[in-house]
Amino acid sequence: MIRANPYFRLFSTTNTIGLGDTTGLYHGTQQINQGQMDRWSIVTTLNYLDHDVEAAIVLAKNPSYDTPEGKRTLAAMVRVADMTRNAFMNGDISTVMSPRTVITWAQNAEIFDRDIGLAFRLTFLNKCDELERPTVAEFFQRAFGTDLPESAARVKVA
């Protein structure tokens, strides 16, 4: 008989709530049978963090942004992420920006001499479906007031 420490807890995460994935978004996920699901005494949903909480976490991981301008930049980056999440939930785009991606974007911007646009393109935009890139580039434009090369405003009609 193995006796668990009274403070022992086991947690698990899932993107599909055990249902598997028919969309291809979470490729490699498997359906979990009802017997396995019944063994979890609590199942809950965690949504994305509040904007200010996420910005604080990104700042904690990227302390070089701890200036008024840097904090404004991080807030705009999280705004872009918020817009991708809303568009994803509405079915407008198929790729969503995670807090981890925002942290990486900020780190990459440091590597590229604070070029936020280039870092955004290399961190997230290039992962998006080509047909969705103008939409995502518009989110960047709304947050930063700058057009990216992928912006629909720069598309030339032949």
Side-chain angles (χ1 to χ4, degrees):
M1 172 73 65
I2 298 174
R3 300 203 191 284
N5 181 295
Y7 299 108
F8 173 81
R9 300 292 181 270
L10 180 63
F11 295 88
S12 177
T13 62
T14 176
N15 290 321
T16 67
I17 314 169
L19 301 176
D21 176 37
T22 58
T23 67
L25 184 62
Y26 301 109
H27 181 75
T29 60
Q30 302 294 319
Q31 195 170 21
I32 299 173
N33 69 46
Q34 192 60 45
Q36 172 64 23
M37 287 298 291
D38 283 345
R39 286 170 171 81
W40 294 95
S41 58
I42 298 173
V43 177
T44 187
T45 300
L46 296 175
N47 291 317
Y48 283 101
L49 299 167
D50 176 70
H51 176 91
D52 293 337
V53 172
E54 183 173 348
I57 291 170
V58 176
L59 178 61
K61 294 287 189 177
N62 295 279
S64 66
Y65 287 85
D66 196 4
T67 64
E69 181 184 341
K71 289 177 182 177
R72 280 192 298 276
T73 297
L74 291 184
M77 294 167 98
V78 174
R79 247 189 330 277
V80 172
D82 290 338
M83 286 186 262
T84 68
R85 295 166 193 157
N86 288 332
F88 175 80
M89 287 185 279
N90 291 333
D92 298 330
I93 62 173
S94 60
T95 308
V96 68
M97 195 172 206
S98 70
R100 183 182 309 112
T101 302
V102 180
I103 291 167
T104 303
W105 176 15
Q107 291 168 341
N108 286 343
E110 286 296 301
I111 293 169
F112 296 111
D113 199 29
R114 291 274 175 128
D115 188 333
I116 301 296
L118 176 61
F120 177 70
R121 292 168 68 213
L122 296 175
T123 305
F124 182 72
L125 190 62
N126 288 344
K127 296 176 185 176
C128 297
D129 182 284
E130 284 188 35
L131 296 175
E132 297 172 355
R133 288 179 189 174
T135 301
V136 177
E138 182 182 328
F139 300 154
F140 181 92
Q141 193 282 329
R142 287 182 198 169
F144 288 96
T146 305
D147 282 329
L148 295 173
E150 294 81 0
S151 169
R154 293 187 176 209
V155 173
K156 294 181 182 176
V157 179

